[in-house]
Amino acid sequence: MNKKSGLLKVLGAIVLLAVGVVIGKSLFSNKVPASVPIPSTMKYRSVGQTKDTSQAANKELFSGKIIAVKDGASIQKAVDEAVPGDLVQVYPGTYHETVFIDKDNISFQGIIINDEWPTLDGNKKLNDAFLYSGNGISIENFKIQNYKGNGIMGQAGNNFTIRHNWIIDTGVYGIFPQYGKNGLVEHNILTKIADAAIYIGMCDNVDVKYNEVYGNVAGIEIENSRHCLVEGNYTHDNTGGILAFLTPGLPIKTVYDVIIRNNFVINNNHENFAAPGSIVAGVPVGTGILVMAADDVIIENNFITDNDNSGITIVDLPTGAPTANDPNSEPNPDRLIILDNIMINNGNNPVGEIKALMLSQFKTKGPDILAMGGGVGNTIRDKNRYRTYGLGDYGPAPITDTKDITTMTFDEPVAPRSVSEHELGELTYYGICAGCHAYQNRLIGVPMQVIQGIYHDNPQGIVDYITNPKNLRENYPDMPKQDYLSDEAKMAVAKYILDMKQ
Amino acid sequence: MTKKSILVKFSATGLLVFCAMFLFRKGETTYPYQNIQALNSNCPPGFKLNDKNECISQNLYKQYSSSNDPGVGGLKTALPEVREGFSPQEIDLGRYLFFDPVLSGTGTISCATCHNPKKGFSDGLATSTGANNHKLKRAAPTLWNVAYDKLFLWDGGAHSLEEQMRMPLFSEYEMANTPENLLNTINSIENYRDLFAEAFTHRDPTKEITLDEIFTSLVAFESSLVSLNSKYDQYAHGYHQALNQQEIEGLNIFRSFVARCAECHTPPLFTNQQIAVIGVPEPDGLPLDPGAQVPYRDSTMRGGFKVPSLRNITKTAPYMHSGTFATLREAVEFYNDGRGHAVPKGEHLRIHWHIWEPDLSDYEMDRIVDFLKTLTDESFMPKIPEEVPSGLKPTVSI
């Protein structure tokens, strides 16, 4: 009996303990999100203590609701639900999807718990992980792997922030904003990308800072873009480390005002595994920094070491690009400035053209700096420090440093073009309604004069009608629904119609 | 309302009616032999008349901007700079000229013969047929949205519509006319003399019609052919229900960097207006068309052609510069079949870097076609005139 009750007591204690653990777990497990960082678009750096203006792109404060996405759910569903200002927080788990964002001002924040990342995995079947066209898109804290096209691709979105992402083998590019203005790409790690890991294409005012890129064909590529700062990146073990390219045949024809400074450009000797025919397929193994036909590039204070072909290579288009000519692309690199850089142990195993060139000089080692082809106004601060080739006409640099330039991004987000209600009404009327309606006479639909008579002082009546038209007249065809217009455009056009004089 | 005010209103209306009748009568006496209506004084849809009697384009894309102003980018990107500011009369006169076969040397071919509004302003042929049934080497490109183009002809050999239209008008194989004969013909038609005097008010109405005036009128009409209200446009402006699930999948494949369609067929016009060498095979038996190599005198551009817009693409089969592909599906498949797979032996073309082996599935290619079908909009279709000033029958198609 005693023994039995003792046993019961022990059992009871164990059961109680177990219950306690379960209750405790369920109570305290909810605490995990307490460690979740504050929404990304809020400033969480100590603003003002450093000259670093990384947060410049983020002045648009998070203003909406938080939509949580947990393992097993769909990020795209959250996007469909989101409105400008919202934050999508994604919890650890594996998400097999392409997330496309055709809306403005949506932020995405991965929640990393115990080193478990929210992971987008394309299984080498999906094309892109993130695809955005909206302005003010922010993407951070995601692990992205096994896509065929891109990790993160933007088409025309301004004011973008892409940071703290870990991107592995996402096909052609890792991070690829295109046609964007005012953006920040920082603190990302990218590897195994078959073209450029970070590719700034036809953009303006972009900072690329503090990223680690390794094991890619190209580490960082600034192409047909203006006002870019490439700073503090660790680019190692790629085929080429940092590229500033003018590619012919693109609709935007210039690249200028690019600062490449304080980067580590080390041991970029990876075999070139780019797709045949791509522009970077021509980048020689062992390329540190490569400037092709870009203007006003400043190269300052970089560690450029152990790149087997050449530390810095500067070429014009006929030398560098295997593409069709473009009569509208100026083919020479002009007004390049090379300031002081630490360059050691480059050119140990030159290949192709540079190897042949060096052999013609009775040398077996590639140069620290090599220039081939045209270009005017190029300068270097201290030519004697380096082993150079083709820099005969490089004069002394007109500046000593770029310390006054802390960022290429803007203090405020680039404002979208705004139109007044009257303008929106006018654009909608002539852009759409005028296909069937005129003011005085009948085209297909009723003259606007008649509409004015019916809806005098009642724009909402017009809005209701065009949203869901009913055919009220004989001998008139059905009017198609105009429900696709935004509420704003519908009201604007209704008011415009009522105000028309001719 | 007082009796007085009613009286005032009635008399004002009466006066207006009287004036209108007077004007109308005056019009009749000035043009006694005119057998077609005088020119339209309203702008076509998509345009607003300003106080200088110019038609200014209006559409929802004017809400947006485009950095560096090339008019390429994403969904909410402004269009490229537009040709606009023509008067309603110039546009309407251009419409008559466009459909009038009197513009050709043979009197049988109008612009609309190859640019038929019912066939997407193309002609449905692999390559067009010119004067005396001459089989031409290239397909007739659409004219929708040419107001936004900067480069003309398949080989990019013309930089304005005025420059472009000299080619078909004065080519012996196409419209087979000469500048002298065209001027003589048009000036000999009284209707045209009256209409040109009405459209070009700043000159002496008794003076001869000039080539520039003919070109201006045709450009004015062509620039009025605007197509920006497709299902895709509704989606782009923010109404995401406009496209169904499969069409959205198609959009995403279209703009992904695997298929790369949008890299050259860039929204909002679905062309980046560049020359690209893509290595399309010619139809059976035809030799390689050197394309841009000829006008640019540059062998690196051999086989290069202007990237065409894809708007209203469903209307303009067959596809490519010489109509090699009968369907959109075949055209899409071409890009999936590998870089340079159809380049003739012995040719070393500098194929564009975006042409690669994207390895798209059949499902993905079908979705791209679904998406391409959402780019159709002909809501601003102009009216084909019932009669043209020459008295010939308006010619549309052959």
Side-chain angles (χ1 to χ4, degrees):
Chain A
M1 166 87 184
N2 268 350
K3 258 191 177 176
K4 212 179 172 185
S5 74
L7 193 69
L8 274 177
K9 271 182 187 167
V10 172
L11 274 175
I14 290 170
V15 167
L16 271 176
L17 189 69
V19 167
V21 166
V22 168
I23 291 172
K25 261 200 164 178
S26 66
L27 271 177
F28 291 102
S29 66
N30 285 338
K31 286 235 164 167
V32 173
S35 70
V36 162
I38 60 169
S40 70
T41 42
M42 287 183 173
K43 293 178 196 167
Y44 61 84
R45 284 157 184 274
S46 40
V47 186
Q49 292 189 355
T50 132
K51 275 197 154 179
D52 183 342
T53 52
S54 295
Q55 57 286 90
N58 302 323
K59 282 271 175 75
E60 213 139 325
L61 296 184
F62 161 74
S63 57
K65 62 181 185 293
I66 295 178
I67 304 171
V69 181
K70 306 235 161 125
D71 197 7
S74 148
I75 304 172
Q76 186 62 44
K77 241 181 147 182
V79 177
D80 295 345
E81 202 184 300
V83 296
D86 285 354
L87 169 69
V88 177
Q89 283 188 326
V90 183
Y91 284 76
T94 306
Y95 302 84
H96 303 287
E97 58 182 315
T98 292
V99 181
F100 61 97
I101 310 123
D102 292 321
K103 296 178 177 180
D104 291 335
N105 298 322
I106 311 285
S107 299
F108 296 84
Q109 185 178 53
I111 304 297
I112 302 163
I113 299 171
N114 257 338
D115 196 28
E116 296 217 18
W117 289 58
T119 304
L120 277 85
D121 192 326
N123 287 333
K124 279 288 162 193
K125 289 203 176 81
L126 297 175
N127 294 333
D128 309 283
F130 283 102
L131 197 57
Y132 68 83
S133 73
N135 295 320
I137 302 299
S138 161
I139 299 170
E140 65 181 3
N141 299 346
F142 287 91
K143 184 176 180 184
I144 303 174
Q145 60 190 19
N146 302 327
Y147 283 82
K148 286 169 67 185
N150 295 283
I152 299 169
M153 180 180 188
Q155 279 165 334
N158 296 332
N159 310 318
F160 55 87
T161 305
I162 300 166
R163 65 181 166 204
H164 299 198
N165 299 293
W166 178 17
I167 299 181
I168 305 156
D169 192 7
T170 54
V172 191
Y173 301 117
I175 294 172
F176 176 25
Q178 195 178 27
Y179 300 116
K181 192 168 189 149
N182 195 36
L184 176 65
V185 178
E186 67 164 4
H187 289 109
N188 301 285
I189 301 176
L190 302 100
T191 189
K192 295 186 183 172
I193 310 291
D195 200 305
I198 296 174
Y199 174 27
I200 309 300
M202 293 187 270
C203 289
D204 292 85
N205 302 92
V206 179
D207 285 358
V208 179
K209 291 173 159 182
Y210 316 126
N211 301 282
E212 184 188 11
V213 287
Y214 66 98
N216 312 291
V217 173
I220 297 168
E221 180 175 347
I222 307 294
E223 187 208 47
N224 296 34
S225 296
R226 290 135 304 279
H227 317 298
C228 294
L229 175 61
V230 180
E231 175 156 34
N233 299 285
Y234 181 27
T235 64
H236 61 100
D237 298 288
N238 308 288
T239 307
I242 299 175
L243 280 43
F245 269 23
L246 177 75
T247 298
L250 294 175
I252 294 177
K253 310 281 184 191
T254 57
V255 48
Y256 57 79
D257 191 15
V258 176
I259 297 179
I260 300 170
R261 73 179 178 202
N262 300 338
N263 300 285
F264 295 85
V265 185
I266 294 171
N267 201 38
N268 290 292
N269 303 318
H270 198 290
E271 118 193 64
N272 191 324
F273 57 102
S278 64
I279 304 256
V280 296
V283 172
V285 174
T287 299
I289 293 176
L290 179 55
V291 176
M292 179 167 77
D295 295 338
D296 302 290
V297 176
I298 301 174
I299 302 175
E300 177 190 14
N301 254 344
N302 300 285
F303 288 81
I304 307 171
T305 72
D306 302 288
N307 303 291
D308 278 351
N309 194 42
S310 164
I312 300 173
T313 311
I314 302 142
V315 294
D316 60 7
L317 281 185
T319 312
T323 60
N325 291 339
D326 179 346
N328 297 313
S329 294
E330 201 283 313
N332 298 314
D334 300 318
R335 296 176 306 279
L336 177 98
I337 300 173
I338 301 174
L339 296 174
D340 288 342
N341 292 277
I342 295 182
M343 302 186 74
I344 56 168
N345 213 25
N346 295 302
N348 284 334
N349 184 18
V351 290
E353 225 170 332
I354 292 186
K355 185 178 183 181
L357 252 179
M358 289 299 127
L359 284 175
S360 75
Q361 309 288 305
F362 306 106
K363 287 175 184 158
T364 52
K365 238 183 138 178
D368 285 323
I369 308 173
L370 173 131
M372 282 164 81
V376 293
N378 297 316
T379 58
I380 182 165
R381 185 167 147 77
D382 184 3
K383 191 166 24 178
N384 294 330
R385 289 177 63 146
Y386 318 107
R387 291 175 300 110
T388 64
Y389 179 86
L391 270 59
D393 58 349
Y394 277 46
I399 54 168
T400 55
D401 59 66
T402 60
K403 66 172 182 288
D404 292 337
I405 298 166
T406 53
T407 177
M408 293 287 190
T409 61
F410 298 116
D411 290 346
E412 296 292 331
V414 179
R417 179 171 179 175
S418 68
V419 291
S420 68
E421 189 183 38
H422 178 81
E423 286 170 305
L424 179 59
E426 184 167 279
L427 294 174
T428 310
Y429 177 76
Y430 288 101
I432 294 167
C433 313
C436 295
H437 298 275
Y439 183 68
Q440 265 178 326
N441 40 11
R442 177 182 171 189
L443 289 182
I444 293 165
V446 183
M448 284 303 152
Q449 245 178 348
V450 175
I451 301 294
Q452 288 179 338
I454 299 169
Y455 291 101
H456 181 65
D457 280 346
N458 178 19
Q460 186 60 45
I462 296 182
V463 171
D464 294 342
Y465 184 86
I466 66 178
T467 307
N468 196 9
K470 296 170 199 72
N471 197 336
L472 305 172
R473 288 178 170 78
E474 267 182 56
N475 302 323
Y476 279 79
D478 287 338
M479 175 173 157
K481 280 186 184 188
Q482 307 298 319
D483 53 351
Y484 58 88
L485 292 171
S486 66
D487 292 343
E488 204 189 350
K490 278 188 262 191
M491 182 51 79
V493 76
K495 288 182 180 170
Y496 185 85
I497 287 168
L498 293 180
D499 282 347
M500 283 177 78
K501 302 275 185 306
Q502 54 166 336
Chain B
M1 205 184 278
T2 63
K3 271 186 180 173
K4 200 176 165 189
S5 79
I6 290 172
L7 201 69
V8 169
K9 278 194 174 167
F10 264 104
S11 45
T13 317
L15 198 68
L16 267 174
V17 169
F18 179 76
C19 288
M21 282 174 72
F22 184 74
L23 280 171
F24 185 62
R25 280 184 59 82
K26 203 178 162 207
E28 259 185 352
T29 50
T30 318
Y31 307 111
Y33 304 112
Q34 189 162 327
N35 52 15
I36 55 166
Q37 273 200 330
L39 299 172
N40 193 342
S41 57
N42 295 312
C43 293
F47 293 84
K48 187 194 177 198
L49 192 66
N50 69 11
D51 50 14
K52 289 183 238 158
N53 196 38
E54 296 166 336
C55 296
I56 304 300
S57 71
Q58 303 284 313
N59 57 69
L60 290 178
Y61 284 98
K62 288 184 111 176
Q63 297 172 85
Y64 315 130
S65 57
S66 161
S67 43
N68 302 299
D69 295 323
V72 281
L75 275 54
K76 292 187 176 178
T77 298
L79 292 157
E81 201 188 332
V82 64
R83 277 297 292 274
E84 62 183 358
F86 298 101
S87 71
Q89 292 80 7
E90 287 168 342
I91 295 171
D92 203 30
L93 173 55
R95 185 173 64 99
Y96 287 119
L97 289 166
F98 187 86
F99 291 97
D100 197 335
V102 84
L103 265 64
S104 61
T106 54
T108 55
I109 301 175
S110 74
C111 305
T113 304
C114 297
H115 300 286
N116 180 351
K118 291 173 185 157
K119 294 185 175 175
F121 285 93
S122 180
D123 57 10
L125 300 170
T127 62
S128 299
T129 305
N132 306 312
N133 283 325
H134 190 92
K135 188 151 169 58
L136 301 168
K137 287 184 182 147
R138 292 180 188 153
T142 180
L143 298 180
W144 284 114
N145 297 324
V146 282
Y148 297 96
D149 283 355
K150 307 289 172 274
L151 213 52
F152 304 89
L153 303 174
W154 274 108
D155 58 20
H159 290 81
S160 68
L161 282 165
E162 287 87 341
E163 201 186 328
Q164 174 273 327
M165 64 183 58
R166 287 172 169 272
M167 308 287 267
L169 277 169
F170 306 133
S171 155
E172 58 174 312
Y173 304 119
E174 299 194 30
M175 294 172 82
N177 214 335
T178 62
E180 302 72 38
N181 187 58
L182 176 62
L183 281 177
N184 287 340
T185 313
I186 297 292
N187 274 299
S188 70
I189 299 167
E190 192 165 0
N191 278 325
Y192 271 125
R193 286 208 304 277
D194 294 339
L195 293 176
F196 273 85
E198 190 183 336
F200 296 92
T201 48
H202 297 297
R203 63 130 158 105
D204 180 351
T206 61
K207 281 255 168 74
E208 297 257 290
I209 297 164
T210 67
L211 264 189
D212 281 347
E213 288 171 351
I214 297 172
F215 292 163
T216 300
S217 305
L218 284 167
V219 173
F221 172 66
E222 290 175 335
S223 303
S224 76
L225 305 172
V226 175
S227 168
L228 297 168
N229 291 328
S230 66
K231 265 169 45 169
Y232 160 79
D233 294 297
Q234 296 180 0
Y235 179 92
H237 296 310
Y239 182 70
H240 290 182
Q241 299 94 304
L243 302 187
N244 66 33
Q245 193 53 41
Q246 296 201 328
E247 290 161 344
I248 290 176
E249 277 180 54
L251 165 64
N252 286 336
I253 299 162
F254 182 88
R255 60 182 164 171
S256 84
F257 214 79
V258 176
R260 304 187 183 182
C261 315
E263 291 304 304
C264 292
H265 298 285
T266 315
L269 271 191
F270 291 85
T271 169
N272 66 357
Q273 306 212 36
Q274 304 297 308
I275 304 270
V277 183
I278 64 172
V280 175
E282 300 292 345
D284 290 341
L286 283 187
L288 179 96
D289 185 335
Q293 178 185 6
V294 177
Y296 290 88
R297 296 194 188 95
D298 185 336
S299 62
T300 69
M301 296 168 87
R302 184 168 176 78
F305 293 98
K306 194 185 88 161
V307 175
S309 168
L310 299 181
R311 286 184 174 272
N312 282 329
I313 193 69
T314 55
K315 301 286 173 181
T316 60
Y319 301 105
M320 304 295 180
H321 65 272
S322 48
T324 303
F325 302 121
T327 64
L328 279 175
R329 184 60 162 73
E330 288 168 65
V332 170
E333 212 163 316
F334 162 78
Y335 294 94
N336 204 39
D337 283 347
R339 184 180 165 80
H341 70 272
V343 175
K345 271 198 180 129
E347 290 284 353
H348 298 283
L349 302 184
R350 295 202 174 192
I351 301 281
H352 197 282
W353 63 95
H354 283 320
I355 304 294
W356 71 319
E357 290 177 37
D359 195 20
L360 300 172
S361 64
D362 283 335
Y363 179 85
E364 286 180 307
M365 288 191 279
D366 289 340
R367 296 296 77 76
I368 291 178
V369 173
D370 289 342
F371 171 68
L372 293 175
K373 290 178 179 169
T374 70
L375 296 172
T376 304
D377 162 45
E378 297 187 319
S379 56
F380 290 176
M381 178 69 86
K383 266 205 181 120
I384 301 173
E386 281 164 23
E387 45 190 2
V388 285
S390 66
L392 298 171
K393 270 212 85 61
T395 309
V396 180
S397 227
I398 28 172

